[in-house]
C-alpha cells in the first residue's frame, strides 16, 4: 500500500478489529477517520452477485464524475477483471483477507488515471462479514481528473493477504493449501500475501 489514505485506513481498521476477523460496522467511528472519508466507501454484500455502494466519499464521486451510492461495485469492471474482483471479494468476506492494489481508469477521450484500491471486511450484523470498507485513492492525480468521466477500468495488480498471516478458517492451525483461482493468481493459504499480475 503506497498511498497514505490507504495505509491509514488499513491501520485504523486493524486497530478496531483487535485480532478478530473483522470489526463491526458500528465500531467504525467516522470522526476518527474524518480526513480519509472523501476517499472511503462502504459496499453492502448481502445480495449476490451484487456489491452495492452504501456510501461513497465525495472525492471518489467527484473524480468518477458521478454519484456512486447504489451502484454495484462490480459494474466498474468487465470480463475477466470482474470475475477476479468477485473472487477476491469472496476471500475478503469469507476468509478475512485484505485486498489492495492498483487499477487504471480511462475516459472516452483516452485520458488515463491510476488509482490505489483497498478492500477490508466489515460485519454489519450477525457474525459473518457482509460489508466492504474500502478506499479508492488517485495516484498522482492529473489536472483534468473530475472533469472527464472515467468509463473503463483495468486491473494492474492486486495483492491478497491475511492480517494474521492465515485465513480465518485456518486460524487454529492447518496445513498449507495452494490453489489456482480462475488461473489468474495463486492463493497460498497460510502464507502472508499473494500477488495478481495480468
Amino acid at each position: 500500500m503506497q498511498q497514505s489514505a490507504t495505509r491509514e485506513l488499513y491501520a485504523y481498521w486493524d486497530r478496531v478489529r483487535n485480532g478478530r476477523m473483522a470489526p463491526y460496522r458500528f465500531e467504525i467511528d467516522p470522526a476518527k477517520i474524518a480526513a480519509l472519508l472523501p476517499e472511503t466507501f462502504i459496499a453492502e454484500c448481502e445480495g449476490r452477485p451484487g456489491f452495492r455502494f452504501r456510501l461513497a466519499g465525495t472525492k471518489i464521486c467527484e473524480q468518477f464524475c458521478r454519484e456512486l451510492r447504489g451502484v454495484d461495485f462490480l459494474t466498474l469492471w468487465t470480463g475477466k477483471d470482474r470475475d477476479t474482483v468477485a473472487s477476491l471479494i469472496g476471500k475478503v468476506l469469507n476468509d478475512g483477507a485484505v485486498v489492495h492494489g492498483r487499477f487504471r481508469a480511462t475516459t472516452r477521450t483516452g485520458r488515463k488515471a491510476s488509482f490505489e484500491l483497498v478492500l477490508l471486511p466489515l460485519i454489519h450484523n450477525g457474525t459473518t462479514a457482509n460489508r466492504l470498507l474500502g478506499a479508492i485513492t488517485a495516484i498522482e492525480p492529473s489536472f483534468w481528473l473530475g472533469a472527464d468521466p472515467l468509463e473503463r477500468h483495468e486491473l494492474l495488480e492486486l495483492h491478497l493477504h491475511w492480517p494474521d498471516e492465515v485465513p480465518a478458517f485456518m486460524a487454529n492451525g492447518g496445513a498449507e493449501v495452494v490453489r489456482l483461482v480462475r488461473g489468474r493468481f495463486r492463493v497460498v493459504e497460510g502464507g502472508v500475501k499473494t500477488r495478481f499480475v495480468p
Side-chain angles (χ1 to χ4, degrees):
M1 301 180 203
Q2 302 299 317
Q3 304 302 302
S4 60
T6 307
R7 293 195 307 268
E8 290 172 27
L9 183 64
Y10 173 81
Y12 173 73
W13 170 86
D14 196 35
R15 285 195 304 272
V16 174
R17 79 179 181 94
N18 193 26
R20 298 168 293 167
M21 173 182 161
Y24 283 92
R25 167 68 182 87
F26 68 82
E27 294 178 298
I28 302 298
D29 182 356
K32 298 285 180 65
I33 53 171
L36 309 178
L37 293 179
E39 296 172 290
T40 300
F41 68 87
I42 292 178
E44 65 179 347
C45 311
E46 292 175 345
R48 301 287 181 164
F51 301 94
R52 251 184 341 124
F53 282 101
R54 297 246 339 144
L55 301 167
T58 54
K59 193 167 186 179
I60 299 173
C61 293
E62 287 171 4
Q63 291 175 338
F64 278 64
C65 295
R66 60 175 169 146
E67 174 58 58
L68 290 174
R69 184 184 171 112
V71 171
D72 184 348
F73 179 74
L74 289 181
T75 62
L76 299 180
W77 321 100
T78 59
K80 291 182 178 179
D81 281 356
R82 182 180 295 191
D83 293 340
T84 297
V85 172
S87 293
L88 290 175
I89 288 175
K91 292 292 180 188
V92 173
L93 299 179
N94 299 324
D95 300 341
V98 170
V99 170
H100 61 94
R102 297 181 301 118
F103 68 92
R104 180 186 298 121
T106 306
T107 69
R108 184 178 301 175
T109 58
R111 288 171 162 169
K112 298 181 185 298
S114 294
F115 294 84
E116 188 169 70
L117 168 73
V118 66
L119 302 174
L120 309 161
L122 275 183
I123 300 170
H124 178 63
N125 49 40
T127 58
T128 59
N130 48 21
R131 294 283 190 276
L132 293 173
L133 173 65
I136 296 175
T137 306
I139 301 170
E140 299 179 358
S142 300
F143 71 93
W144 54 264
L145 197 56
D148 202 351
L150 304 173
E151 297 192 350
R152 297 188 309 278
H153 307 89
E154 174 191 4
L155 295 177
L156 298 176
E157 65 175 344
L158 290 178
H159 301 271
L160 175 70
H161 80 272
W162 292 270
D164 298 320
E165 298 190 359
V166 294
F169 71 88
M170 293 180 66
N172 295 322
E176 180 183 274
V177 179
V178 179
R179 288 183 302 201
L180 290 178
V181 181
R182 298 190 188 274
R184 300 203 58 197
F185 56 93
R186 196 167 70 147
V187 176
V188 182
E189 295 173 353
V192 177
K193 72 170 70 170
T194 288
R195 187 177 184 199
F196 154 85
V197 180

